[in-house]
Amino acid sequence: MKILVVGAGATGGYFGALLARAGEDVTFLVRPARAAALRERGLRVVGRDEEWTVEPRLVTADELRETYDLVLLSVKSTGLDRAIEDLAPAVGPDTAVIPLLNGLAHIDTLNARFGAPAVLGGVAKVVTALDDSGDVRRLAPLAHLAFGEQDGTASARVERIREVLEGAGIDAPVPADIVTAMWHKWVFITTIGALTSLMRGTVGDVYDTPGGPDLGPALLDEAAGVAAAAGHPVPEEERAATLAVVSAPGSPMVPSLYRDLTAGRPTEVEHLFGDLTARARALGVPTPILDLAALHLRVHQRRVTTAGA
């Protein structure tokens, strides 16, 4: 199977490195600066008492000519439009595209560009980050990539992809309804994203402060309420798992959204919060704290955009 990984950051870099280490035919579509760094150092995975390197096969957008069997799209939503144009030559009549973005708006965008049959749903759960050297730093053992056909049907291509992913050591379940799984991840990521971004602290910073323990459950209630109104209620066991994450004393956990915010970088505010709160309005679901989080992040976004103009 010929695989193109779009982006060699914390998520795409890690999954792609696992696939390459397993001997799969993997190429990374990257920007010229990232290509130069990877050619010099290799794609290195470090952390959790391990350190290994693969020599990645690389291509830049101006060099991309051939089509692939599988495209793993792992970029921030802020770079989605450009990434779609860059990867377009790789998508042939039999190509499967699995986006690893959070939220749902990207599915509509990809469907419009490549046609719904080419696009699968995907949910990535991995705790990694790019360090200052450009290495993928593994922060927890999780390596989970759920995916499936948008309409929930079983297909031969999904089974083939699953075998390839699991052969590389990636937990690759195929949920009965991948869109519901995407909604549930969206609930989780907006809950923890709003919690840490609004309070400008780690989960533990918030929870260990008087009044802090009430915020996580309130955010979860709002986000889960939108999902339920949209027809994708969050099961009690998943709610309990999210509550455990946002109610952990001393937890150093922060999502990538928080890291972007505190570093003064653009965030995925519209993709994650703007879209969710707009759907909430359409469904008649009140989300006052999520609305506040969206406003907070929009003010930051405006400041960053204005400074970069």
Side-chain angles (χ1 to χ4, degrees):
M1 178 179 289
K2 286 177 58 181
I3 302 170
L4 181 70
V5 179
V6 182
T11 300
Y14 183 60
F15 285 130
L18 287 174
L19 288 162
R21 186 173 67 165
E24 296 295 337
D25 183 355
V26 180
T27 301
F28 293 87
L29 174 60
V30 293
R31 301 275 180 252
R34 181 64 167 150
L38 290 171
R39 290 189 178 105
E40 179 180 346
R41 288 177 57 84
L43 179 52
R44 296 159 52 90
V45 176
V46 299
R48 297 193 60 81
D49 298 322
E50 65 176 314
E51 181 174 328
W52 49 276
T53 304
V54 297
E55 299 301 326
R57 183 182 300 117
L58 305 172
V59 65
T60 55
D62 61 313
E63 300 168 332
L64 188 61
R65 300 287 185 273
E66 50 188 322
T67 60
Y68 291 77
D69 301 309
L70 172 64
V71 174
L72 293 180
L73 175 57
S74 180
V75 297
K76 298 280 190 181
S77 63
T78 50
L80 179 62
D81 290 342
R82 181 176 176 182
I84 287 174
E85 294 310 311
D86 288 350
L87 72 86
V91 180
D94 298 316
T95 302
V97 180
I98 302 180
L100 304 183
L101 292 79
N102 294 312
L104 281 167
H106 59 280
I107 293 292
D108 293 336
T109 302
L110 290 165
N111 286 348
R113 180 64 176 81
F114 300 117
V119 182
L120 280 66
V123 174
K125 296 181 181 180
V126 60
V127 188
T128 52
L130 279 190
D131 65 19
D132 292 340
S133 299
D135 298 339
V136 177
R137 184 162 295 276
R138 191 181 184 203
L139 305 175
L142 192 65
H144 175 103
L145 200 171
F147 70 103
E149 303 285 355
Q150 292 184 54
D151 62 5
T153 59
S155 69
R157 69 174 178 173
V158 163
E159 179 58 24
R160 185 180 174 214
I161 294 167
R162 185 192 64 77
E163 290 175 356
V164 169
L165 294 174
E166 293 195 341
I170 300 168
D171 179 26
V174 179
D177 186 343
I178 188 61
V179 175
T180 291
M182 292 171 68
W183 264 100
H184 295 170
K185 173 70 181 301
W186 198 7
V187 167
F188 171 81
I189 206 68
T190 49
T191 297
I192 192 171
L195 177 77
T196 55
S197 297
L198 274 175
M199 297 298 104
R200 292 296 183 109
T202 66
V203 167
D205 289 336
V206 179
Y207 189 83
D208 296 338
T209 301
D214 296 332
L215 183 56
L219 284 163
L220 176 57
D221 284 345
E222 287 189 6
V226 183
H232 305 278
V234 180
E236 282 306 313
E237 59 270 24
E238 288 200 34
R239 287 179 64 99
T242 299
L243 277 176
V245 170
V246 299
S247 304
S251 171
M253 186 171 184
V254 293
S256 61
L257 176 79
Y258 173 86
R259 291 193 290 269
D260 288 338
L261 175 67
T262 55
R265 296 188 291 261
T267 71
E268 297 183 285
V269 53
E270 296 304 333
H271 194 78
L272 295 178
F273 290 91
D275 188 27
L276 186 66
T277 54
R279 292 177 193 242
R281 298 292 80 75
L283 294 165
V285 179
T287 54
I289 314 177
L290 289 171
D291 292 345
L292 183 62
L295 176 59
H296 178 70
L297 290 164
R298 281 169 170 154
V299 170
H300 166 81
Q301 195 84 349
R302 184 174 184 274
R303 185 182 299 123
V304 170
T305 302
T306 301

